[in-house]
Amino acid sequence: MSSVSEDSIAVDRGYRDSLTKIEPYGIEHIPDVERHGKPRSQFFLWFAAGMNFPIVVLGFSATYFGLPFWAAALAIVLAGVTSSAGMGYLSAMGVRLGVPQQMQGRGPLGFIGNLFPVAYVNVFAGIGWAAVTVILGGKAIALLTDIPFWLSSLVLMGIQLGVAVIGYNLIHFLQRILSYVQVIGFVFITVVAAANGHIVNDFNPAAKGFDGIGGWIIFFGWFFSFIVAWMPFASDYSRYLPNTASNRRGAGWATMLGNAVTMVWMGVLGTVLGSTATASDSIGALKELMGGWAPIGLGVVALSSFTQNFLNVYGGAISIQTMGVPVKRHTGVIFICIASYLVALWGQGGFNEGFTAFLNLTAYCIAPYVAVLVCDYLFGGRRTERGLRELFDKSRKFEWGFVAWAAGVVLSSPFWMSSIYTGPIATAFPQIGDLSYYVGAAVATGVYFLTHRRRRLSGHDLLDRSAAGRTL
């Protein structure tokens, strides 16, 4: 097996802006000579990824909670703006540090400590998200043609594998093109949905999941957690940008807008579908509402699976390398694709319930993880040369950040509200909705500040935390 570099000082490999060369970098720090691109690329990348049917599925669930259109739209807008702002900040961190998001976790958690959340992210966010998108795209193709699901999903995954193997530059290039194509397709779907659909502006107490404000909080949380699930990958797609103040600001704003616009648009579209169609699932509802135009709508859904899965399988491969598995990035891509295809075959039945349960469990562990990363970036001295080199030092097994993350996960578990597990507080007070994400992030932040100036668990000296000491 060829060696895999883990070095904060990577060599120049002549990648630049090539669209055909297989990306030679994985988790290494991107050297200045290889930095390229414009901040606006982040808008197109996340806009294309967000113009996808899983968000429509979440909007479709508003009828389950008996929410009127105005209440559902308010939840979607608030969740979209707040969570997208977090994504923007994490994207800017990638410009400054030049390493993937999960590699940044090695700083506050240590190498072994970081394995726990990254292994979870790898299994659930890399493989799981890829499977979710393949299921939706494969079902759309199956409704359009006589091709069986196993074959349609295999074709989708094969194309996604090829693009993700080539890597960063090709993904950005195709996301820009697909942004324009998808806009045309989803504008058409939106126009037809607006013409054939209707909105309901009254609460429906007879709805199966009706629980007043609690239902609204859960619905808000699903949209919020959708972006949270992307957060461990935000820096992966901005780390090649030249490290300048204007690029950091630009990448942050572009990432925020790309996520927020599509979150609101797709979420509201899903709400209209759910309040109009009689079908029990979102794909069937789309086909029903589109009528004679259904082939176009289903074709757009199938195409949209690419824009999200390019990122899913690419980020999953980065996760494998971050765990210290000695494989090249493109080898990790192949593993993620095979695993997600198998999960898609297994999970195609009962999709809606499984999707929301998966979304919840992902965010429960990611929210405190992201809180620790941001605290470390702002207050832990990470923006220094030594802080960057530490990310590649495997002798630091555990640090206090791992304790903060674990405390956030454990102490938020009584608030968990999922079909897989519901905590005792959530069971006793269902009317308060699912507060797990916010409790987990708050606890992790609090524990971080209680411990971040104590002697480090690894025994290493503290980093220089002064403003004058920042060299990155």
Side-chain angles (χ1 to χ4, degrees):
M1 182 179 294
S2 58
S3 62
V4 178
S5 173
E6 279 203 25
D7 196 345
S8 62
I9 309 175
V11 299
D12 178 6
R13 297 171 187 163
Y15 181 52
R16 308 299 192 272
D17 55 359
S18 172
L19 295 177
T20 56
K21 183 176 181 179
I22 293 179
E23 181 186 353
Y25 299 100
I27 58 175
E28 308 97 310
H29 174 257
I30 304 303
D32 289 343
V33 70
E34 291 279 23
R35 298 291 191 107
H36 64 277
K38 302 291 184 182
R40 62 176 176 269
S41 66
Q42 304 305 301
F43 173 83
F44 291 107
L45 182 123
W46 293 110
F47 183 81
M51 214 171 338
N52 208 286
F53 213 69
I55 304 178
V56 179
V57 173
L58 295 181
F60 185 81
S61 65
T63 55
Y64 172 82
F65 295 107
L67 297 176
F69 176 81
W70 65 266
L74 178 63
I76 293 167
V77 171
L78 291 177
V81 171
T82 53
S83 58
S84 296
M87 276 288 287
Y89 193 79
L90 293 167
S91 180
M93 288 167 58
V95 179
R96 186 186 290 270
L97 298 178
V99 295
Q101 203 80 64
Q102 293 168 72
M103 278 297 291
Q104 297 169 27
R106 286 186 180 182
L109 280 76
F111 174 68
I112 300 299
N114 196 44
L115 289 182
F116 291 88
V118 168
Y120 178 87
V121 167
N122 176 40
V123 173
F124 285 90
I127 296 174
W129 273 116
V132 163
T133 311
V134 164
I135 289 172
L136 290 171
K139 283 190 172 184
I141 293 176
L143 286 174
L144 276 172
T145 67
D146 292 328
I147 298 176
F149 174 80
W150 72 266
L151 181 56
S152 62
S153 57
L154 181 63
V155 171
L156 289 176
M157 186 56 72
I159 297 172
Q160 292 156 6
L161 184 152
V163 172
V165 161
I166 295 176
Y168 182 93
N169 287 339
L170 185 59
I171 289 174
H172 274 278
F173 175 76
L174 291 178
Q175 293 290 85
R176 184 184 184 96
I177 294 175
L178 289 172
S179 289
Y180 295 110
V181 176
Q182 289 291 85
V183 160
I184 296 172
F186 274 106
V187 163
F188 181 78
I189 292 175
T190 302
V191 169
V192 174
N196 296 339
H198 66 272
I199 60 177
V200 177
N201 267 325
D202 296 315
F203 284 97
N204 178 19
K208 183 178 180 180
F210 182 79
D211 196 18
I213 188 63
W216 186 91
I217 292 173
I218 295 172
F219 185 74
F220 170 94
W222 283 358
F223 278 87
F224 186 84
S225 62
F226 186 94
I227 299 295
V228 170
W230 276 118
M231 287 183 176
F233 307 103
S235 289
D236 300 8
Y237 307 100
S238 62
R239 71 191 197 278
Y240 278 87
L241 292 175
N243 181 22
T244 65
S246 61
N247 279 344
R248 292 194 295 270
R249 288 193 300 270
W253 280 106
T255 299
M256 176 183 175
L257 288 174
N259 281 284
V261 170
T262 50
M263 172 70 74
V264 173
W265 182 3
M266 296 298 102
V268 170
L269 174 61
T271 301
V272 174
L273 286 179
S275 63
T276 303
T278 57
S280 60
D281 69 281
S282 50
I283 292 289
L286 176 66
K287 183 179 181 181
E288 177 185 333
L289 196 61
M290 294 292 289
W293 300 106
I296 296 177
L298 294 173
V300 171
V301 172
L303 182 63
S304 71
S305 69
F306 294 113
T307 62
Q308 193 169 92
N309 258 10
F310 293 155
L311 310 191
N312 289 328
V313 296
Y314 180 90
I318 294 292
S319 299
I320 291 175
Q321 288 191 306
T322 303
M323 293 168 62
V325 180
V327 297
K328 294 288 189 181
R329 183 195 58 79
H330 56 269
T331 304
V333 166
I334 295 171
F335 170 79
I336 293 293
C337 285
I338 293 174
S340 58
Y341 174 68
L342 295 176
V343 171
L345 293 180
W346 169 75
Q348 58 180 300
F351 168 75
N352 282 0
E353 181 179 353
F355 171 49
T356 53
F358 154 72
L359 193 63
N360 285 345
L361 293 176
T362 301
Y364 294 158
C365 290
I366 292 176
Y369 182 68
V370 170
V372 172
L373 290 191
V374 172
C375 287
D376 178 68
Y377 177 78
L378 289 174
F379 308 106
R382 194 58 50 197
R383 289 173 284 179
T384 62
E385 296 291 344
R386 184 179 156 223
L388 178 62
R389 290 195 302 272
E390 271 197 350
L391 304 180
F392 300 86
D393 181 3
K394 293 183 178 180
S395 69
R396 297 169 49 256
K397 305 300 184 184
F398 288 94
E399 297 288 11
W400 285 110
F402 171 75
V403 177
W405 170 76
V409 173
V410 172
L411 294 182
S412 68
S413 62
F415 297 86
W416 291 9
M417 186 176 287
S418 165
S419 60
I420 296 176
Y421 171 76
T422 298
I425 295 179
T427 300
F429 305 100
Q431 66 274 14
I432 66 175
D434 192 344
L435 303 180
S436 308
Y437 325 109
Y438 327 111
V439 172
V443 169
T445 300
V447 174
Y448 176 88
F449 281 108
L450 288 174
T451 58
H452 78 300
R453 291 193 178 276
R454 296 177 61 87
R455 177 177 173 81
R456 300 172 94 183
L457 295 179
S458 65
H460 289 224
D461 294 335
L462 294 174
L463 297 173
D464 184 353
R465 298 157 187 252
S466 68
R470 294 172 189 162
T471 54
L472 297 177

